[in-house]
């Protein structure tokens, strides 16, 4: 007679959800939010309005011999996407990145859904990686869409023969697109760094507005500190220090020194931000 064991088999064994399904779910959740769609719509409209506006006031500015930003962009299809990127990376692109990061953790914590995620059969490291992936995709889509729309707008308004660099040389359409993509990739890394810091703040609070106020306020404070001569020693530590060097992508030949320094600085912020976010996530109460 066979002896019966006292240990009963479990009725249900939790299984880990595939990473691909979790990533798709995160992206659907992000891009179905009205505020994400509204921000993307504004970023899509901005280069078109900016490009048309430069044409409307082009003649008076050139007649006065002014060398303002508008005068540099008017009639130059290469400068338009770079100037659009340089202006949006000051506020709109960081705002979109910060909104995504604040909703990723702090937003779910305030809604009470983060607790369920922490109790689910998914590690906290994987959960943070999924949230970071969603924030990174938002930054990439927003920046790439803005740059490409600005480039196409410039070509439609000024023509394919207007890809003039700051050095005065004219580039072919393919080379001009390559320069714009280099500038776009550089800006994307800057936004990823901001997203990493925003995720660290988001993991430390349950108030999404506090995340946005902290990150956007910090960027404005960095801009203010960079204007004070007595605080020049702070320049190497401020992520905004190299943001003006994006114009180097439209020089001929293209200098890479400041761009590389800005890239390395952003990578440092990215590593520190994700490290702090991970340290907070693994110790967060369930």
């Amino acid at each position: 007679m066979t002896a019966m064991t006292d240990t009963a088999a479990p009725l249900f064994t939790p299984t880990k959800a595939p990473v691909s399904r979790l990533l798709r779910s995160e992206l659907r959740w992000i891009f179905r939010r009205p505020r994400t769609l509204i921000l993307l719509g504004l970023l899509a409209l901005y280069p078109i309005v900016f490009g048309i506006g430069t044409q409307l006031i082009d003649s008076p500015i050139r007649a006065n011999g002014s060398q303002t930003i508008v005068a540099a962009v008017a009639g130059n299809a290469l400068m338009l996407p770079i100037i659009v990127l340089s202006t949006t990376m000051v506020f709109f692109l960081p705002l979109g990145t910060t909104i995504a990061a604040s909703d990723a953790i702090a937003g779910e914590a305030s809604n009470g859904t983060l607790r369920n995620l922490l109790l689910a059969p998914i590690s906290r490291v994987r959960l943070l990686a999924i949230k970071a992936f969603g924030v990174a995709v938002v930054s990439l889509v927003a920046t790439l869409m803005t740059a490409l729309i600005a480039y196409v707008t410039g070509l439609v308004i000024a023509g394919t023969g207007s890809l003039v660099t700051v050095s005065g040389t004219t580039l072919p359409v393919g080379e001009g697109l390559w320069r714009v993509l280099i500038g776009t990739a550089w800006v994307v890394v800057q936004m990823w760094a901001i997203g990493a810091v925003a995720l660290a703040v988001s993991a430390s609070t349950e108030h999404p507005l506090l995340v946005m106020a902290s990150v956007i306020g910090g960027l404005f404070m960095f801009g203010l500190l960079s204007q004070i001569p007595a605080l020049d020693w702070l320049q190497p530590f401020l992520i905004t220090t190299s943001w003006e060097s994006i114009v180097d992508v439209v020089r001929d030949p293209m200098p890479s020194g400041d761009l590389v320094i800005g890239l390395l600085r952003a990578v440092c912020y990215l590593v520190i931000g994700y490290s702090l976010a991970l340290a907070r996530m693994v110790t967060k109460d369930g």
Side-chain angles (χ1 to χ4, degrees):
M1 192 172 177
T2 305
M4 296 180 62
T5 59
D6 295 334
T7 304
L11 297 178
F12 175 74
T13 301
T15 58
K16 293 183 178 181
V19 175
S20 59
R21 190 176 74 182
L22 294 173
L23 294 177
R24 288 195 302 268
S25 175
E26 181 71 13
L27 293 181
R28 284 196 301 268
W29 180 74
I30 290 175
F31 287 101
R32 285 180 179 177
R33 290 202 305 261
R35 52 182 168 270
T36 302
L37 298 177
I38 291 173
L39 182 66
L40 290 177
L42 291 174
L43 286 172
L45 268 176
Y46 176 73
I48 299 175
V49 175
F50 190 89
I52 295 175
T54 58
Q55 296 303 306
L56 294 178
I57 58 178
D58 177 26
S59 296
I61 288 183
R62 288 191 172 181
N64 296 332
S66 176
Q67 297 298 322
T68 61
I69 290 179
V70 178
V73 173
N76 191 334
L78 184 61
M79 286 297 297
L80 178 60
I82 300 304
I83 296 301
V84 165
L85 284 175
S86 67
T87 53
T88 53
M89 73 183 296
V90 175
F91 180 72
F92 285 110
L93 290 176
L95 177 63
T97 302
T98 305
I99 289 176
S102 63
D103 286 335
I105 300 179
E108 295 220 28
S110 64
N111 293 329
T113 55
L114 183 62
R115 183 180 297 272
N116 296 333
L117 291 174
L118 294 177
L119 295 176
I122 175 175
S123 67
R124 299 189 178 202
V125 176
R126 178 184 287 191
L127 176 61
L128 179 62
I130 291 171
K131 296 299 183 181
F133 174 79
V135 175
V137 170
V138 170
S139 302
L140 174 62
V141 170
T143 308
L144 184 61
M145 179 195 66
T146 303
L148 291 180
I149 291 178
Y151 186 66
V152 173
T153 300
L155 291 178
V156 171
I157 292 176
T160 58
S162 62
L163 300 170
V164 183
T165 65
V166 176
S167 306
T169 57
T170 302
L171 302 178
V173 175
E175 176 67 18
L177 178 60
W178 176 244
R179 296 290 188 97
V180 171
L181 290 178
I182 292 176
T184 302
W186 190 84
V187 173
V188 167
V189 177
Q190 306 297 316
M191 294 304 107
W192 284 352
I194 293 174
V197 175
L199 273 178
V201 180
S202 184
S204 305
T205 182
E206 297 182 357
H207 305 285
L209 290 178
L210 179 60
V211 180
M212 290 185 283
S214 301
V215 177
I216 300 300
L219 289 177
F220 278 111
M221 182 184 68
F222 280 7
L224 179 63
L225 293 176
S226 64
Q227 302 300 319
I228 302 177
L231 298 178
D232 286 344
W233 58 273
L234 271 178
Q235 297 293 329
F237 304 100
L238 304 180
I239 190 173
T240 57
T241 297
S242 300
W243 280 8
E244 294 182 357
S245 63
I246 188 178
V247 74
D248 288 346
V249 302
V250 289
R251 301 185 190 277
D252 194 20
M254 182 178 66
S256 59
D258 290 340
L259 292 173
V260 171
I261 292 175
L263 190 65
L264 294 177
R265 185 180 292 112
V267 170
C268 291
Y269 270 83
L270 192 147
V271 172
I272 294 173
Y274 281 138
S275 299
L276 293 175
L278 180 61
R280 177 54 183 155
M281 284 295 294
V282 296
T283 58
K284 199 177 186 71
D285 294 336

